[in-house]
Amino acid sequence: MTRTHQPSETTASTTSAPTTPARVAFVGSGPGDPGLLTLRGRDLIAAADAVILDRVTSEAEVRCHARPDVEIIDAGHGEQGQELTQAVRAKLLVKAAKAVGPSGLVVRLMDGDPATFNGLVEEVRACRKAGLSFDVVPGVSAVTAGPTYAGVPLTSKATGALHVLSVDRGLDYTAYASGDDTVVLVGAPESIRAGLAGLLAAGRPAESPVALSERATTVRQSSVATTLGAVERLFSGKEAFGATMAVVSPNVDLRDEFSWFETKPLFGWKVLVPRTQAQAGPMVDRLAGYGATADVVPTISVEPPRTPQQMEKAVKGLVTGRYEWIGFTSVNAVRAVRERFEEFGLDARAFAGLKVAAVGGVTAAALREWGINPDLVPSGEQSAAGLLEDWPPFDEVLDPINRVLLPRADIATETLVAGLRDMGWEVDDVTAYRTVRAAPPAAEIRDAIKGGDYDAVVFTSSSTVRNLVGIAGKPHPATVVACIGPATAKTAQEHGLRVDVLAPEASALSLVDALAGHGVGLAVAAAEAGQPVQRPSDKRPASRRRAR
């Protein structure tokens, strides 16, 4: 009889499984515009245990995609702000990979494209030496994105060869002297200056069109067109142009026709958004799409009611059929009721048989996200008054119950309650949350508001007007004031502000769109007057201006 040897439990338990070493992903972060990060790069950042930054991408941009516990390491600058050597960066990378342990993931962000003017080769060799596996995710290179954002196509039927040069001493420029070729120079301003001088000395015609850009692909981008013979003056004097990219090409003459980025309606505008960070996201994204930067300054803090018993009673009444309608007048109200439902172990099914009203599209979207499709949304003005216009009066025959639940803020107006009662409804007006004035912003923000550093401020409610003025002071007269609706505009005027923009409908995105329309109007007026387009902050008296 043959016996088969079976491994003992002791043998099995002492045998260690092989471990997978940490992995490194070299990810191109793009040349500056956060929107140019690839989908693959975003997914890797979301899965990363550690992210190593380069010079362009900020920690805040990474945290938009990363896990809350991710470690972020700055390899773009040393502790004293100096630029790190490639050898030091490679050591940081290997150290981070060892720290995350087996099966961990380190994302090494590299400006632009990893394989273009970056230290990819050196850092890959360091990974090989340390026994680390790695991936490379290409990114959008500054070589192609910079000229495109400056409105200069790299190739056309009018151009010959395309040359990309990282300017260095000893480079022979005679091979790039043809007036039909496109030459892209990247580097520090001093290197760009030397490279252009080298092209001119090598025989490139002095009338060759040149485009210079600094801070390319960001809303702080600045571009200028000149000729090779006249470009030297831009690098001298107190207002020297800090170009990090130059394009020498016949296609520079197409810039007036092809410019698309620097002609956005709010390009370069600095906009103040007095809203909570949680609510401001869509507005900030829409403003960025129009070319503006946004500073979010919370003016209120949303807190639970001081006594929760009223809300508890309302939720129980909702579940037991006490109400015919429930009306939501804000996203905060939806959030407050949802949180209370989850505390009680309830979900959207508890709304079965109940009619639901929403004051506007944004509140309706918050309900749909919860799985509730509202029965009533105003067809006209998205406000309490607009909701009342469409709300049906109580009918003793058709309505089995005559009671309405309104979970609202502690400072809500009486307009909706009074109107519903006039239509025969009994109303339970319940405090679902409290709005508390936020702490004042930092001193530099307050100075910027009062000094006119902001080109515009967007008010989404009367409370944001009152609270901003209360915690930070009145915006400068040069600042464009945009309001979400007539009530908010009236409050702004009562506080001595000139209202320049009124949204056609009561939504945050509509407000941003209206502000962009105002920007277009300013640009058209300037063009008709034969004047350059100026941002509102540029129109302050010179003595009041501050450096951006």
Side-chain angles (χ1 to χ4, degrees):
M1 180 177 177
T2 303
R3 295 185 178 181
T4 303
H5 175 70
Q6 300 288 338
S8 66
E9 290 185 8
T10 303
T11 302
S13 62
T14 57
T15 301
S16 59
T19 59
T20 303
R23 182 166 56 101
V24 173
F26 295 95
V27 174
S29 62
D33 183 347
L36 295 182
L37 178 68
T38 64
L39 293 175
R40 177 62 175 154
R42 182 196 63 188
D43 292 343
L44 285 168
I45 290 173
D49 300 292
V51 177
I52 301 179
L53 302 179
D54 211 338
R55 290 174 292 270
V56 172
T57 306
S58 69
E59 179 176 337
E61 290 166 2
V62 170
R63 292 204 179 277
C64 290
H65 308 294
R67 301 198 316 258
D69 61 339
V70 70
E71 181 183 10
I72 297 180
I73 303 166
D74 187 357
H77 310 88
E79 294 182 359
Q80 305 302 321
Q82 77 279 17
E83 186 169 336
L84 302 180
T85 66
Q86 201 57 56
V88 171
R89 290 174 178 160
K91 289 180 180 178
L92 279 175
L93 175 61
V94 173
K95 182 180 178 182
K98 290 180 178 179
V100 300
S103 302
L105 172 62
V106 175
V107 169
R108 170 66 169 106
L109 288 180
M110 287 186 157
D111 297 340
D113 177 70
T116 308
F117 304 129
N118 276 308
L120 179 64
V121 173
E122 293 85 347
E123 295 190 32
V124 162
R125 286 173 175 167
C127 288
R128 288 284 192 192
K129 186 176 180 180
L132 301 171
S133 62
F134 63 90
D135 297 324
V136 179
V137 179
V140 178
S141 173
V143 171
T144 55
T148 301
Y149 274 60
V152 180
L154 284 179
T155 62
S156 71
K157 291 182 179 180
T159 59
L162 170 63
H163 308 283
V164 178
L165 306 180
S166 179
V167 184
D168 197 3
R169 292 180 180 179
L171 188 63
D172 181 7
Y173 290 98
T174 57
Y176 316 111
S178 171
D180 293 334
D181 289 352
T182 293
V183 178
V184 180
L185 304 174
V186 292
E190 300 79 12
S191 300
I192 298 291
R193 182 180 187 179
L196 293 172
L199 282 172
L200 184 63
R204 184 91 181 203
E207 63 273 15
S208 297
V210 178
L212 302 175
S213 285
E214 59 180 344
R215 299 184 291 270
T217 78
T218 72
V219 291
R220 297 175 63 231
Q221 173 179 303
S222 179
S223 302
V224 62
T226 182
T227 62
L228 194 58
V231 74
E232 173 60 25
R233 64 180 176 80
L234 295 175
F235 289 97
S236 57
K238 294 182 179 180
E239 300 295 328
F241 196 78
T244 54
M245 183 203 72
V247 183
V248 186
S249 172
N251 286 348
V252 173
D253 289 337
L254 300 175
R255 202 165 166 264
D256 288 342
E257 183 179 357
F258 279 82
S259 181
W260 62 276
F261 185 59
E262 293 180 27
T263 55
K264 285 177 177 284
L266 301 178
F267 181 79
W269 283 40
K270 187 177 178 182
V271 181
L272 180 68
V273 181
R275 222 171 190 206
T276 63
Q277 289 286 351
Q279 293 176 315
M283 294 187 74
V284 171
D285 291 342
R286 184 67 67 97
L287 284 166
Y290 285 121
T293 58
D295 281 351
V296 179
V297 176
T299 59
I300 63 169
S301 175
V302 178
E303 298 182 4
R306 287 191 175 91
T307 54
Q309 291 83 1
Q310 192 181 29
M311 267 293 287
E312 291 176 4
K313 181 180 178 182
V315 171
K316 291 178 181 177
L318 189 152
V319 174
T320 57
R322 174 178 171 83
Y323 302 105
E324 176 78 4
W325 282 90
I326 179 170
F328 290 97
T329 56
S330 70
V331 173
N332 287 328
V334 176
R335 185 179 297 115
V337 172
R338 186 171 182 175
E339 289 174 354
R340 188 52 56 93
F341 264 49
E342 291 172 351
E343 288 178 11
F344 292 150
L346 300 171
D347 56 30
R349 290 175 293 183
F351 283 83
L354 187 68
K355 295 176 183 176
V356 180
V359 75
V362 176
T363 303
L367 285 166
R368 293 188 184 100
E369 184 182 343
W370 191 11
I372 301 167
N373 194 37
D375 301 279
L376 175 62
V377 180
S379 57
E381 179 183 328
Q382 297 188 359
S383 64
L387 192 59
L388 278 174
E389 288 185 7
D390 290 349
W391 200 301
F394 172 68
D395 189 311
E396 294 183 357
V397 177
L398 299 178
D399 297 312
I401 305 169
N402 70 338
R403 193 168 295 274
V404 176
L405 171 62
L406 292 181
R408 305 194 299 163
D410 57 330
I411 59 171
T413 63
E414 295 298 316
T415 302
L416 185 57
V417 174
L420 289 174
R421 285 173 177 164
D422 288 344
M423 289 191 287
W425 294 100
E426 294 291 329
V427 181
D428 283 356
D429 188 15
V430 175
T431 298
Y433 61 95
R434 292 183 298 125
T435 55
V436 180
R437 180 177 289 182
E444 56 267 25
I445 296 292
R446 299 199 300 272
D447 290 343
I449 293 172
K450 291 179 285 190
D453 287 352
Y454 288 101
D455 297 288
V457 56
V458 286
F459 290 117
T460 54
S461 67
S462 293
S463 62
T464 59
V465 178
R466 291 189 292 266
N467 290 341
L468 180 71
V469 173
I471 65 177
K474 289 170 56 176
H476 189 276
T479 303
V480 172
V481 175
C483 294
I484 200 168
T488 304
K490 181 180 178 182
T491 303
Q493 291 165 343
E494 290 171 350
H495 283 75
L497 300 179
R498 179 198 70 251
V499 177
D500 305 286
V501 179
L502 190 65
E505 61 181 65
S507 76
L509 297 185
S510 176
L511 176 59
V512 175
D513 293 343
L515 179 62
H518 181 74
V520 171
L522 294 178
V524 170
E528 291 176 346
Q531 298 175 345
V533 178
Q534 286 186 306
R535 294 189 293 270
S537 59
D538 293 331
K539 299 176 183 178
R540 294 171 292 167
S543 60
R544 296 294 302 276
R545 295 178 187 171
R546 295 180 175 84
R548 285 180 179 266

